Amino acid sequence: MSGIQIYDSHQGALSTFEPLQAGRVGMYVCGPTVYSHVHLGNVRTFLSFDLIFRYLKYRDYTVRYVRNITDAGHLVDDADEGEDKVAKRAKLEQIEPMEVVQKYTVNFHDVMRAFNALPPSIEPTATGHIVEQIAMTQQLLANGWAYEANGSVYFDVEAYSQKHPYGELSGRNTEEMMSGSRDLDGQSDKRSPLDFALWKKASEAHIMRWASPWGEGFPGWHLECSAMSTKYLGEEFDIHGGGMDLKFPHHECEIAQNKGAHHHGGARYWMHANMLTLNGKRMSKSTGNTLLPEEVLSGDSPHLSKAYSASVARFFIHQAQYRSVLDFSDEALQASEKGHQRLMNAFTTLSQRANHGPKEGQFDVEAWQNRCLDAMNNDFNSPILIAHLFDAVRAIQADHQDPGHLGQMGATALLSHLKAWMFDVLGLQTDAASGAAGASSQKALDAAMAIVLDARRKAREQKDWAASDAIRDQLAAGGIQVKDGAEGSTYSIQE
RNA sequence: GGUCUCGUGGCCGAGUGGCUAGGCAAGGCUCUGCAAAAGCUUGUACAGCGGUUCGAAUCCGCUCGAGACCUCCA
């Protein structure tokens, strides 16, 4: 077991993780734009970083995890008249922009809670940090990396690239990008198509607007993350994460803004979570190739044969490493469900183990624990960790036959480690803990109740009232109320 | 078109120069009144072609295929 290795996508290589301050980690992750429901692909990214957050905590780091909510400034496209995503949605749904934000923020939080993602330390919103964004824009203007044009302020990529390597993160250079970009149509205030907005003037119709030194407007999308990461984590901090698709332009622009305003590019380690594909194509809100987390929990989707618990979905996601593309399918999820069940069963077996057998066992729990740590230290390789958990499953089963396999001390140690890996690090939940299992529990209860009610019906037919009433009373004592009607008996659960 | 990533057994998915990944499915066995569950066990896969090497899924080249990004996207 050694230190944690992180794949830094800026360097394109594994790098030993050394936090700026010993024992402390500052981590920023780009959160959702709350203009519609998060889909399962979004969820994968947030669960990937949740795993990292959980593992860092497990390793006793004090982590400040900042994940923003983008509630303004994210445009539908880059045209000057591009609509704000939130404002567009507000028009469509005929509600206030902040109602859109509230609605989908609540949805996002519900989903994160259902999937057992820990809340971040700070969850700042773009609209709550207009002041900081204006200040950063002013700093960039003062440093000569930005210019004002007609009430908007743009980042001057050409000027910046004279002194800094714009494109360093995504491996591009400005000439290539110029040749690939479309020409300005003469309508733009930009000097170059590569320039991006720090502050945009609000047109008459634009409803989300704030006062600024350049008139009424709204902040550019890339700016919020620079402003908020700096505010809460400092000009230089440890980890910046986000989806692979944000690498360019979003993260590239962040680096440019940070270097232009301060002297650091912000994060020391850049981490990019890969996509979740559906039918071999990336999930995307705009193409409609999506699956909602709620659909996984309800099974209500043409892509699914049944409902799955959030813990099973989480297990499925962590069975692939965060940097790999993961293809979603019902078949793959079913496989995960079986494996998840086996793991849970073994855990139950171990937790109910009688205190018997020799003190010392044959299974080397410490060596096993070190293998688990090695797996996670190697760029959070959760599939390897899970493979090791199944080694533990086999050991638990062997011990079940022969208590000398683990021994009393080994069993105690393994239980404590296994519990931490499964629930604290991987964030799995037992069926009882995750309410999402409601559908299958309900089905099981229905089956059981059908038998009970049928037995009671027979008793009633034979006028065996003692038996019939005993069933009803005992069910009532257990919180189940029996209701006799003309069409037979039904039941309901008393809250 | 440019930049980059990937192609592993029926499915999902690790590995990145020699040593069993793992899960699911499948076959066999044990247990079992039947069934289920559970356990044990088997399987030799790395897109194709060429090269480097004592040795390659792993390195290099080419071919084919897939995907991502190139100012909407986790």
Side-chain angles (χ1 to χ4, degrees):
Chain A
M1 190 203 87
S2 55
I4 298 174
Q5 300 281 115
I6 289 181
Y7 183 86
D8 172 20
S9 33
H10 193 178
Q11 294 174 57
L14 281 175
S15 165
T16 301
F17 178 61
E18 283 166 22
L20 278 168
Q21 289 178 55
R24 291 181 176 273
V25 179
M27 176 162 91
Y28 187 92
V29 171
C30 293
T33 299
V34 283
Y35 69 104
S36 73
H37 296 99
V38 287
H39 59 63
L40 201 62
N42 301 116
V43 172
R44 182 194 182 192
T45 296
F46 299 127
L47 291 186
S48 294
F49 288 105
D50 185 57
L51 177 76
I52 290 162
F53 180 40
R54 284 168 174 274
Y55 184 62
L56 291 171
K57 283 164 66 104
Y58 176 67
R59 294 296 306 274
D60 287 327
Y61 283 104
T62 301
V63 187
R64 180 178 287 174
Y65 173 26
V66 181
R67 187 184 63 205
N68 69 298
I69 295 277
T70 299
D71 56 356
H74 199 160
L75 301 185
V76 173
D77 60 52
D78 189 50
D80 275 3
E81 294 310 309
E83 269 189 292
D84 183 290
K85 287 191 168 199
V86 169
K88 183 184 178 186
R89 192 72 188 196
K91 275 188 212 161
L92 263 160
E93 299 194 12
Q94 297 192 322
I95 53 179
E96 273 289 311
M98 283 314 285
E99 285 184 85
V100 172
V101 165
Q102 179 69 13
K103 178 176 171 180
Y104 294 113
T105 300
V106 167
N107 168 256
F108 174 63
H109 287 156
D110 286 348
V111 169
M112 288 294 100
R113 201 175 309 110
F115 283 79
N116 201 23
L118 298 175
S121 323
I122 303 176
E123 194 168 45
T125 61
T127 54
H129 297 77
I130 301 291
V131 170
E132 288 80 359
Q133 293 177 84
I134 289 174
M136 195 159 184
T137 302
Q138 286 174 313
Q139 185 66 53
L140 286 166
L141 279 165
N143 291 0
W145 306 127
Y147 56 90
E148 186 195 343
N150 191 27
S152 293
V153 182
Y154 294 97
F155 190 90
D156 190 338
V157 171
E158 220 158 308
Y160 173 83
S161 63
Q162 302 299 311
K163 281 198 84 171
H164 301 282
Y166 183 75
E168 57 183 300
L169 178 68
S170 52
R172 292 153 209 267
N173 60 58
T174 46
E175 291 100 71
E176 265 169 24
M177 286 188 272
M178 280 305 288
S179 68
S181 68
R182 49 178 190 258
D183 287 335
L184 294 173
D185 55 10
Q187 302 289 310
S188 179
D189 298 321
K190 286 188 198 176
R191 290 181 191 165
S192 155
L194 298 187
D195 296 347
F196 54 90
L198 299 171
W199 186 265
K200 292 207 79 165
K201 180 184 181 175
S203 65
E204 288 297 313
H206 205 100
I207 36 184
M208 299 180 80
R209 55 205 300 152
W210 291 267
S212 82
W214 315 284
E216 291 214 333
F218 56 95
W221 174 40
H222 310 307
L223 191 60
E224 58 169 307
C225 289
S226 285
M228 296 190 289
S229 64
T230 303
K231 174 162 184 174
Y232 297 112
L233 298 172
E235 292 183 5
E236 191 182 18
F237 57 95
D238 297 302
I239 298 171
H240 190 127
M244 199 77 99
D245 50 350
L246 297 185
K247 200 169 178 182
F248 187 87
H250 186 59
H251 293 157
E252 196 70 71
C253 295
E254 270 189 61
I255 291 178
Q257 289 165 162
N258 284 26
K259 282 195 175 173
H262 321 120
H263 295 288
H264 291 293
R268 288 153 51 93
Y269 302 86
W270 283 87
M271 300 185 70
H272 289 99
N274 218 322
M275 303 290 105
L276 178 69
T277 57
L278 178 63
N279 302 319
K281 302 266 186 201
R282 69 169 297 190
M283 282 193 198
S284 165
K285 290 171 194 170
S286 51
T287 60
N289 188 44
T290 58
L291 191 67
L292 295 179
E294 293 88 340
E295 292 171 335
V296 173
L297 303 183
S298 69
D300 185 18
S301 161
H303 299 292
L304 299 169
S305 65
K306 63 187 282 295
Y308 296 91
S309 76
S311 185
V312 165
R314 225 188 133 112
F315 187 67
F316 165 73
I317 284 168
H318 292 326
Q319 269 183 306
Q321 212 255 0
Y322 75 91
R323 279 195 288 133
S324 301
V325 174
L326 172 61
D327 193 48
F328 180 92
S329 69
D330 188 64
E331 195 183 358
L333 209 54
Q334 274 187 29
S336 291
E337 186 174 50
K338 290 275 179 65
H340 178 268
Q341 188 62 49
R342 241 185 96 208
L343 185 59
M344 288 296 173
N345 289 348
F347 179 79
T348 305
T349 301
L350 182 61
S351 59
Q352 293 170 355
R353 184 186 191 274
N355 201 16
H356 64 330
K359 277 239 174 295
E360 306 271 354
Q362 294 145 30
F363 186 79
D364 189 342
V365 176
E366 197 183 331
W368 171 84
Q369 169 69 3
N370 284 333
R371 286 198 295 276
C372 292
L373 287 167
D374 284 343
M376 286 303 284
N377 287 345
N378 184 15
D379 198 27
F380 311 99
N381 200 327
S382 51
I384 297 287
L385 169 66
I386 290 172
H388 293 324
L389 296 188
F390 280 100
D391 286 343
V393 168
R394 270 181 293 280
I396 291 164
Q397 273 142 6
D399 180 75
H400 198 54
Q401 304 300 314
D402 165 24
H405 194 76
L406 289 175
Q408 291 184 31
M409 285 163 66
T412 306
L414 184 62
L415 181 65
S416 136
H417 287 313
L418 198 57
K419 192 173 179 181
W421 288 121
M422 287 169 66
F423 304 112
D424 298 344
V425 177
L426 290 173
L428 304 180
Q429 293 172 290
T430 58
D431 279 356
S434 90
S440 57
S441 304
Q442 186 60 47
K443 211 174 139 195
L445 183 60
D446 281 343
M449 284 304 295
I451 295 163
V452 173
L453 291 179
D454 193 54
R456 181 162 169 276
R457 182 182 59 78
K458 282 175 182 154
R460 270 161 47 104
E461 274 168 13
Q462 289 161 21
K463 298 195 191 309
D464 186 351
W465 307 118
S468 139
D469 290 353
I471 289 173
R472 188 176 56 201
D473 294 343
Q474 282 171 42
L475 286 174
I480 297 174
Q481 186 182 34
V482 176
K483 300 167 190 169
D484 295 322
E487 302 297 322
S489 302
T490 58
Y491 76 94
S492 64
I493 295 169
Q494 301 302 296
E495 294 300 335

